Amino acid sequence: MKAFDLVIAKDAAHAVTLLAEHGPSARVLAGGTDLLVELKSASRVPRVVLDISRAAELKGIELTDQGLRIGALVTHTELMRFPLIRDLFPALVDAAHSIGAVQTRNLGTLGGNLVTCVPSMDSGPTLVALDALVTITGPGGRRQLPLSDFFAGPRKSMLEPEDLLLDIVIPKENLGKPADFQKFGLRKGQALALVNAAASLWVDWERDVCVAPRIALGAVAPTVIRARAAEAYLEGRAITPEALAEAGRIAVAEARPISDFRASADYRRDLIAVLTRRALANAYARATAKRDGEKQ
Ligand SMILES: Cc1cc2nc3c(=O)[nH]c(=O)nc-3n(C[C@H](O)[C@H](O)[C@H](O)COP(=O)(O)OP(=O)(O)OC[C@H]3O[C@@H](n4cnc5c(N)ncnc54)[C@H](O)[C@@H]3O)c2cc1C
């Protein structure tokens, strides 16, 4: 690895100032599980690597007026262990648990995973299915946008070079929304997703129909995508095995999978149908269990 200067930011504002000072020649370092691998093989290394791991504003998980706020520096292990996440969003725990091995999860951060904008990232789909927002801080102040709009392309986010991802917010209307995450890789552990899928839904129990379904897919397009036609098909519809299978088939038509050394596009299309159906069925099972728990 070629030499670079390591600069340590004491807080988020300091990090933004340093990024503005050094411009595109600086790279942000969070857990380093992606960045250091990249730098080892990169022909050009940044002049400056900016360590943000001491920025307190990027840490912690808390309920706010807006919803559940997860700091960008929260690691996958912290996410898996946090009681509120385990209680409200078991699908997020499953997604975090599917990432790499213990060492990777101990160091790797949620923010780092999202900023890489790798189409097969495992954190993206569940958060997109929960309508998560991201907060970005830069020289012009703070701004928020839906996570689904944050992904600009493969390995390209909406961050400007001097921006920092501050946190991820699951809006309060979605607190406890039943959701599920599915991943299919070539091995059970330490494998990138050939396809991953997440679904969330509410159920109107009076009419026994699906409300506000969300389906998000990874590794089947240049970015994590929402299967909006499948969502529209399910909205207001009775949740039957046939309807869930049909939603899976519609989702296939919305994806643009490629063939590569891991799998063919056709194989990925089959996976999309199966994983979408399973994610929806499991989200519905969680909704049912929650209702039955509340009745007791
Ligand atoms: C062995 C191994 C297995 C893995 N398995 C998986 C897997 O199964 N699934 C999966 O999804 N990923 C996997 N990964 C990828 C990686 O672990 C995750 O993407 C991780 O969450 C990245 O977080 P980090 O903190 O280490 O990011 P870093 O490496 O520190 O940074 C990653 C990128 O994000 C930028 N960045 C980080 N934080 C911020 C911020 N707050 N604001 C602005 N820019 C920022 C950095 O500049 C860099 O470009 C694996 C990695 C390894 C090494």
Side-chain angles (χ1 to χ4, degrees):
M1 197 190 300
K2 298 204 182 96
F4 51 80
D5 289 336
L6 181 69
V7 180
I8 297 173
K10 57 180 189 314
D11 55 32
H14 187 212
V16 170
T17 306
L18 289 168
L19 283 173
E21 199 178 295
H22 294 288
S25 66
R27 291 288 299 277
V28 167
L29 174 80
T33 60
D34 270 314
L35 187 69
L36 294 179
V37 175
E38 189 190 322
L39 295 190
K40 272 185 194 165
S41 55
S43 52
R44 287 179 56 205
V45 289
R47 261 195 308 114
V48 172
V49 169
L50 175 65
D51 180 355
I52 57 167
S53 62
R54 295 181 197 182
E57 308 95 306
L58 274 71
K59 297 185 182 179
I61 303 174
E62 63 192 335
L63 281 172
T64 69
D65 289 346
Q66 209 185 0
L68 184 70
R69 177 201 162 273
I70 309 171
L73 281 176
V74 167
T75 65
H76 304 299
T77 299
E78 285 172 334
L79 201 65
M80 283 165 57
R81 290 187 180 158
F82 201 77
L84 200 57
I85 300 279
R86 296 180 71 83
D87 185 31
L88 293 177
F89 299 115
L92 280 182
V93 176
D94 295 341
H97 189 238
S98 81
I99 292 177
V102 176
Q103 294 88 340
T104 314
R105 296 194 290 268
N106 284 348
L107 278 175
T109 63
L110 180 61
N113 194 242
L114 298 175
V115 172
T116 58
C117 285
V118 174
S120 62
M121 68 167 73
D122 288 312
S123 302
T126 312
L127 289 166
V128 166
L130 291 167
D131 300 322
L133 304 166
V134 287
T135 314
I136 295 168
T137 182
R142 291 183 185 194
R143 62 189 192 280
Q144 267 189 334
L145 69 156
L147 174 60
S148 50
D149 295 344
F150 179 72
F151 306 128
R155 296 188 176 273
K156 181 153 183 31
S157 77
M158 294 299 282
L159 291 180
E160 298 294 337
E162 60 277 13
D163 284 341
L164 213 55
L165 176 64
L166 203 60
D167 60 33
I168 299 94
V169 178
I170 300 171
K172 69 166 177 251
E173 61 272 19
N174 282 348
L175 291 182
K177 186 176 183 187
D180 185 64
F181 171 77
Q182 294 284 317
K183 171 175 176 175
F184 190 89
L186 292 178
R187 295 181 301 273
K188 272 281 177 206
Q190 283 275 48
L192 294 182
L194 296 186
V195 174
N196 57 22
S200 75
L201 49 84
W202 295 110
V203 181
D204 176 344
W205 293 110
E206 305 256 297
R207 297 187 299 138
D208 208 7
V209 296
C210 184
V211 176
R214 295 284 183 272
I215 299 163
L217 302 169
V220 300
T223 65
V224 172
I225 56 163
R226 268 184 56 193
R228 291 178 191 267
E231 292 172 5
Y233 167 80
L234 280 177
E235 181 72 56
R237 194 174 286 270
I239 302 171
T240 61
E242 294 73 27
L244 299 187
E246 179 60 14
R249 282 191 287 272
I250 297 171
V252 173
E254 299 187 74
R256 285 176 287 148
I258 55 164
S259 296
D260 62 13
F261 64 96
R262 286 199 191 91
S264 68
D266 276 345
Y267 189 61
R268 287 194 160 98
R269 276 189 270 275
D270 284 349
L271 285 174
I272 296 166
V274 172
L275 298 187
T276 301
R277 175 173 52 73
R278 280 188 195 158
L280 286 163
N282 290 347
Y284 181 60
R286 282 194 165 126
T288 309
K290 195 165 173 231
R291 178 203 55 180
D292 294 347
E294 279 163 8
K295 268 188 197 163
Q296 284 166 11

